Amino acid sequence: MHELSLIHGLLELITASAKVHDIKQVSLIRLVVGEYYGALPEALNFAFEAVTRDTICEGAVLELVATAGRELYVDYYEGD
Amino acid sequence: MKVILAKSILKANDDVAKRNRETLDRCKVKAVNLISSPGAGKTTLLEKVLELCKGKAAVGVIEGDIATTRDAERIAAKSVPVVQINTQGACHLDARMVEKALLELPLEQLDLVVIENVGNLVCPASFDLGDHEKIALLSVTEGDDKAAKYPRVFDAATAVIITKADLLPYTDFDLDSCVKELLQIKPQLKVFVTSAKAGSGLVELVNWLQAR
């Protein structure tokens, strides 16, 4: 359930950064998620699809990188 | 275009949490975040603690629940300032909800704010609220294996309160092994064994809270 909140945070972060870089459409986001956060990939993907509807991230690929630690950050994103 | 961000997606929450902590520090108020599974006895314990604090410390309460104002009504009956947050389905409180709730409390007149998180042993541990410490509750009816099964919340806490100790004779709860497992997760954890019903362990808890 907290996956939804995490994706909200992700969208906020990307939207703010995309504005600075004048990016209108995001195509890929690489998110590093540590095991510590107990976030399930399926739930993250589901939340991502739901939350990004009608945003600059709609249709973007969410690339998840699972680690054993306490990381939870956007490594990079791509867009035009 | 590729943009390297390397930024935490919890940053927005953490920024608000930091602001909350600054507000509390400015008003010289300490905040604790109570976390447990539903039914562990957070509200009942809090009711007893509020009675013991009367005349010693001014306490305000923020109640987090998915729905209803039942807990806030119970706390209000103890004549302390209380704000109810209904998360409308969300499984945890976040820093923004607490920021709004803090505006409703007379912080200048308080010594302690107790934030009772949504009953959940998983999600609340990820979200900093701006509290100064997290206290986890574990009731004997939940079973002594919960610390090992849900280590993160106990790792994030500074103290663990074992509740409903009056039921120990009626359960298979192994207190020694539970405490041992808790200390394996975090050796510096302070563990209290309490019963709100029998009134045991509560004075120690209140004294510890006051000393901090």
Side-chain angles (χ1 to χ4, degrees):
Chain A
M1 191 64 204
H2 65 305
E3 285 86 355
L4 196 60
S5 308
L6 297 179
I7 293 296
H8 271 294
L10 168 86
L11 183 63
E12 223 170 292
L13 196 65
I14 301 279
T15 307
S17 169
K19 207 170 174 182
V20 174
H21 295 286
D22 200 26
I23 289 171
K24 304 272 187 275
Q25 181 66 49
V26 175
S27 54
L28 182 138
I29 300 167
R30 189 177 154 99
L31 177 66
V32 181
V33 188
E35 195 191 353
Y36 181 80
Y37 287 95
L40 294 173
E42 304 81 51
L44 286 171
N45 276 311
F46 179 73
F48 183 76
E49 244 186 83
V51 168
T52 56
R53 203 160 292 153
D54 298 325
T55 71
I56 58 162
C57 294
E58 183 169 4
V61 173
L62 180 64
E63 198 180 301
L64 297 170
V65 183
T67 64
R70 296 189 179 202
E71 301 84 3
L72 186 63
Y73 65 95
V74 176
D75 187 7
Y76 62 82
Y77 68 94
E78 291 174 7
D80 296 303
Chain B
M1 179 159 68
K2 180 170 172 174
V3 181
I4 310 279
L5 256 187
K7 262 192 190 163
S8 166
I9 63 171
L10 285 171
K11 193 181 178 303
N13 183 73
D14 291 347
D15 288 347
V16 180
K18 191 168 161 249
R19 227 158 51 217
N20 289 349
R21 204 169 287 117
E22 284 164 2
T23 303
L24 290 159
D25 288 343
R26 204 167 41 244
C27 300
K28 297 190 177 63
V29 185
K30 174 121 181 145
V32 300
N33 179 0
L34 284 189
I35 303 177
S36 80
S37 50
K42 290 185 294 299
T43 312
T44 305
L45 182 92
L46 190 50
E47 285 174 320
K48 299 289 172 186
V49 165
L50 290 173
E51 282 168 20
L52 288 170
C53 284
K54 203 150 266 178
K56 288 184 192 163
V59 187
V61 176
I62 297 173
E63 281 290 339
D65 282 297
I66 289 178
T68 82
T69 55
R70 285 181 194 178
D71 282 358
E73 285 159 24
R74 284 172 62 183
I75 298 304
K78 302 286 167 198
S79 309
V80 300
V82 57
V83 185
Q84 176 81 52
I85 300 173
N86 276 155
T87 61
Q88 315 289 352
C91 52
H92 56 269
L93 292 178
D94 66 36
R96 280 199 192 120
M97 300 175 194
V98 171
E99 183 182 37
K100 284 188 201 138
L102 286 175
L103 293 174
E104 306 292 326
L105 286 175
L107 291 181
E108 300 285 351
Q109 295 153 34
L110 297 178
D111 301 310
L112 173 71
V113 170
V114 178
I115 306 166
E116 189 185 324
N117 218 312
V118 178
N120 182 336
L121 221 42
V122 183
C123 311
S126 299
F127 296 85
D128 185 8
L129 304 181
D131 51 86
H132 298 94
E133 41 200 327
K134 301 185 196 339
I135 299 180
L137 273 74
L138 173 61
S139 61
V140 304
T141 48
E142 289 169 67
D144 50 27
D145 57 353
K146 291 303 169 289
K149 281 184 168 174
Y150 300 87
R152 191 152 58 95
V153 68
F154 297 100
D155 182 43
T158 46
V160 175
I161 304 172
I162 295 175
T163 60
K164 309 187 190 180
D166 55 297
L167 295 177
L168 275 171
Y170 310 106
T171 64
D172 296 329
F173 192 95
D174 185 337
L175 188 58
D176 290 340
S177 109
C178 181
V179 171
K180 207 172 119 192
E181 287 191 338
L182 280 170
L183 296 178
Q184 270 167 6
I185 293 166
K186 193 175 189 181
Q188 62 272 44
L189 261 183
K190 178 86 185 144
V191 181
F192 295 95
V193 180
T194 68
S195 162
K197 197 158 198 175
S200 61
L202 299 174
V203 174
E204 290 89 332
L205 173 64
V206 169
N207 287 343
W208 178 80
L209 269 175
Q210 273 188 324
R212 294 175 82 88

